[in-house]
Amino acid sequence: MPIRITTATARVLQALLADIGAEFYGRELMKTTGLQSGSLYPILLRLEKEGVITSEQEEIDTRAAGRPARRYYRMTGDGVVAARQALAEVHELTRAPGPGLLPGLTPQGGAA
């Protein structure tokens, strides 16, 4: 499952890989990645179609919660493997000279 990597996609993958078992919602990912919704959501849609992530709509009483329902995104098992591989390949291409993908993060998505 090859992943088409752009700088924005790398940011999303690194955010998701930071806590593999966790579920993330859009605003949370926007804050973490620094991406606006117009950039983030097309990436999430593409990653979901590629099987890298799955998503699920939260089932809540929106009136009682005082907010709209959220869509939560999570890495798939195959997506974790593919994302790590894709980020490692990009890291290799960008290794010398200069910085890696994002300051403070490893190709596996964790903190350095």
Side-chain angles (χ1 to χ4, degrees):
M1 143 187 345
I3 301 172
R4 184 173 57 94
I5 294 288
T6 63
T7 301
T9 302
R11 288 176 184 258
V12 173
L13 292 174
Q14 288 176 321
L16 293 167
L17 286 170
D19 190 354
I20 293 170
E23 295 180 325
F24 300 89
Y25 62 96
R27 183 172 297 278
E28 183 177 30
L29 288 169
M30 287 170 52
K31 189 175 182 181
T32 302
T33 63
L35 298 173
Q36 298 296 314
S37 60
S39 297
L40 176 66
Y41 287 104
I43 291 169
L44 292 172
L45 181 62
R46 179 172 51 84
L47 292 174
E48 189 168 16
K49 285 181 180 180
E50 293 173 352
V52 176
I53 63 173
T54 61
S55 71
E56 189 172 309
Q57 185 75 25
E58 176 182 46
E59 292 187 28
I60 62 167
D61 178 347
T62 57
R63 291 183 73 180
R67 62 173 176 79
R70 296 173 177 158
R71 177 163 292 280
Y72 285 94
Y73 300 89
R74 167 188 297 186
M75 299 287 299
T76 64
D78 289 341
V80 169
V81 172
R84 285 181 172 165
Q85 180 178 352
L87 291 173
E89 289 171 6
V90 170
H91 181 70
E92 283 298 315
L93 292 173
T94 60
R95 265 179 82 163
L101 293 174
L102 297 175
L105 294 178
T106 66
Q108 287 73 34

